[in-house]
Amino acid sequence: MVAIISQPDTQKKLEILSTDAQYDLACACGSSDSQSRKRSEDGKWIFPVTLPNGGQSILFKTLISNVCKNDCKYCPLREEMDIRRCSLNPEETAKVFLDYYNQKKVFGLFLSSGVIGTSDITMDRLNSIARILRKKHKFKGYIHLKVIPGSSNAAIEEAVSLASAVSLNIETPGEKNLAKLSNKKNYIKDIIEPMKLISNLTQKGARYQRVKQTTQFIVGAAGEQDKEIVKYMFGLYDRLNMNRVYFSAYQRDLGEESISGEKGFLENPADILTREHRLYQVDFLLRKYGFRESDIMFEKDGNLSLTNDPKEIWANMHPELFPVDINKATKFTLLKVPGLGPTTVDRIIKTRKISPVRSIEQIGKVGVRLQKAEKYLTF
């Protein structure tokens, strides 16, 4: 009997490729339930995105191919894996997205891909889709393009010229850690130098200053310390003007048995998700609260505490600074108070302009966070 293997149609390919796109979070917007990715009825990952006016819309996300020549040991799509491979061509990808967009199901597009042949061949396919949308269909909305490690300067600049945002995943902190995960990628040449180029192309005053750059760490795959990640994170914000850094907890049973992520150096499997959460908390301290790298405290093993939040640890290490007077403290000082975030601090400042704040109840509904904050305040 002759076996007939049919080629997947566009819909089936989208189901496969949208599912495989779940491992890249560099376009995600937050860690709350309302901002988490969700699977649509037809099997695609869609992402809520907070808009400038405060509302939300949906981002359509897919790989254009899960074919990949790379050997990233943490990745379930690496070359050696026996999975069903397929690719979308530029025209069909653009058509499917526009169908969704015209039905007002999505507001923008995120495109990524495995490495098809070479980095530049892959970038040409990604850029082709953006060119079709921008030039042929006059689409002026949001497009996020993944930059493939090792791409040429010309391919990267074209992506930046077409996109609203670009991302190239840093993956690990430093060459030594990347060497544990890939024998093919050159950390400086394939990742750091392209990120510097993007930074130069998008810096303030540059031609493409409107374009945002993000990146992602795969947390735990290489056995790296949080201290190493925070060092690189701070450098990305301080020297490369990165718009956002994301963290993806390594998912066990997806990679090679040889890597640290598979050996389970954290005893409790849930701890890796807590670790990811702590890194996001540090990210907020650096981006929104005025903290420096030196303000972040680590355990003896070089990792963040799994039991206490990094802002509260810092406050407890500096008892000479607390309590602070809620009616006199500057915005910068109030942001250092555990339990207070930017929104609450703005509310405090507005309230005390009208009349002094005499109790925690004046700030808002008293929950766990405000109860925590009260210990560090005087009224």
Side-chain angles (χ1 to χ4, degrees), residues 83-365:
I83 62 171
R84 189 172 190 184
R85 308 281 183 173
C86 61
S87 302
L88 293 164
N89 68 52
E91 287 287 353
E92 68 180 325
T93 307
K95 180 181 183 303
V96 169
F97 166 69
L98 287 174
D99 286 344
Y100 268 71
Y101 180 77
N102 292 330
Q103 295 175 56
K104 302 189 185 305
K105 291 182 177 181
V106 298
F107 95 104
L109 174 67
F110 180 105
L111 287 177
S112 184
S113 183
V115 181
I116 314 162
T118 69
S119 297
D120 271 9
I121 288 173
T122 310
M123 282 307 306
D124 185 60
R125 288 204 189 185
L126 290 165
N127 289 341
S128 291
I129 297 165
R131 281 198 303 269
I132 291 167
L133 291 170
R134 296 292 196 214
K135 310 295 184 184
K136 181 178 178 180
H137 297 285
K138 309 302 179 185
F139 177 71
K140 298 185 183 300
Y142 183 90
I143 298 176
H144 185 132
L145 294 178
K146 175 63 61 179
V147 173
I148 305 301
S151 298
S152 67
N153 289 357
I156 293 171
E157 184 163 2
E158 183 179 22
V160 171
S161 74
L162 293 165
S164 311
V166 295
S167 56
L168 194 167
N169 287 351
I170 192 168
E171 301 181 16
T172 68
E175 289 182 88
K176 290 183 180 179
N177 285 311
L178 184 66
K180 300 173 187 176
L181 301 178
S182 174
N183 296 317
K184 292 185 177 182
K185 289 181 182 176
N186 181 301
Y187 195 73
I188 302 300
K189 179 176 177 292
D190 295 340
I191 297 176
I192 299 302
E193 289 182 0
M195 291 175 79
K196 289 180 178 178
L197 172 62
I198 295 168
S199 179
N200 289 333
L201 291 170
T202 59
Q203 65 183 321
K204 188 175 181 180
R207 183 179 180 183
Y208 305 114
Q209 63 177 354
R210 61 175 177 76
V211 179
K212 309 299 183 186
Q213 182 183 188
T214 67
T215 192
Q216 175 182 253
F217 285 95
I218 308 299
V219 179
E224 73 292 333
Q225 296 176 325
D226 291 337
K227 190 172 185 178
E228 296 175 277
I229 293 177
V230 172
K231 177 182 178 180
Y232 274 78
M233 186 202 321
F234 185 78
L236 290 169
Y237 285 131
D238 191 52
R239 294 189 290 277
L240 293 186
N241 300 310
M242 190 70 57
N243 291 99
R244 190 71 194 273
V245 176
Y246 293 94
F247 309 95
S248 179
Y250 176 71
Q251 301 175 56
R252 289 186 65 181
D253 301 324
L254 296 178
E256 286 189 12
E257 293 181 358
S258 63
I259 65 174
S260 294
E262 289 297 327
K263 295 174 182 177
F265 60 94
L266 292 175
E267 292 184 8
N268 183 351
D271 285 349
I272 190 64
L273 298 177
T274 303
R275 185 181 175 195
E276 177 190 289
H277 178 64
R278 294 290 182 230
L279 287 165
Y280 273 114
Q281 289 178 315
V282 170
D283 174 76
F284 269 78
L285 294 183
L286 298 179
R287 285 191 303 116
K288 301 288 190 181
Y289 294 63
F291 280 66
R292 305 287 292 177
E293 180 190 354
S294 57
D295 292 323
I296 308 303
M297 308 294 174
F298 300 93
E299 303 283 272
K300 291 181 179 179
D301 62 0
N303 290 324
L304 296 163
S305 170
L306 295 175
T307 54
N308 295 300
D309 108 50
K311 191 179 182 184
E312 189 169 13
I313 291 173
W314 178 87
N316 292 337
M317 293 288 288
H318 294 83
E320 73 280 5
L321 301 179
F322 299 95
V324 302
D325 189 327
I326 196 171
N327 290 296
K328 295 180 180 179
T330 65
K331 179 176 181 177
F332 179 80
T333 299
L334 288 172
L335 285 171
K336 298 282 189 176
V337 175
L340 297 185
T343 301
T344 306
V345 168
D346 287 342
R347 191 184 308 133
I348 290 170
I349 292 172
K350 288 179 181 178
T351 300
R352 73 188 191 186
K353 285 180 179 178
I354 301 170
S355 62
V357 179
R358 299 300 186 193
S359 69
I360 199 72
E361 285 76 17
Q362 280 181 257
I363 302 173
K365 184 177 180 181

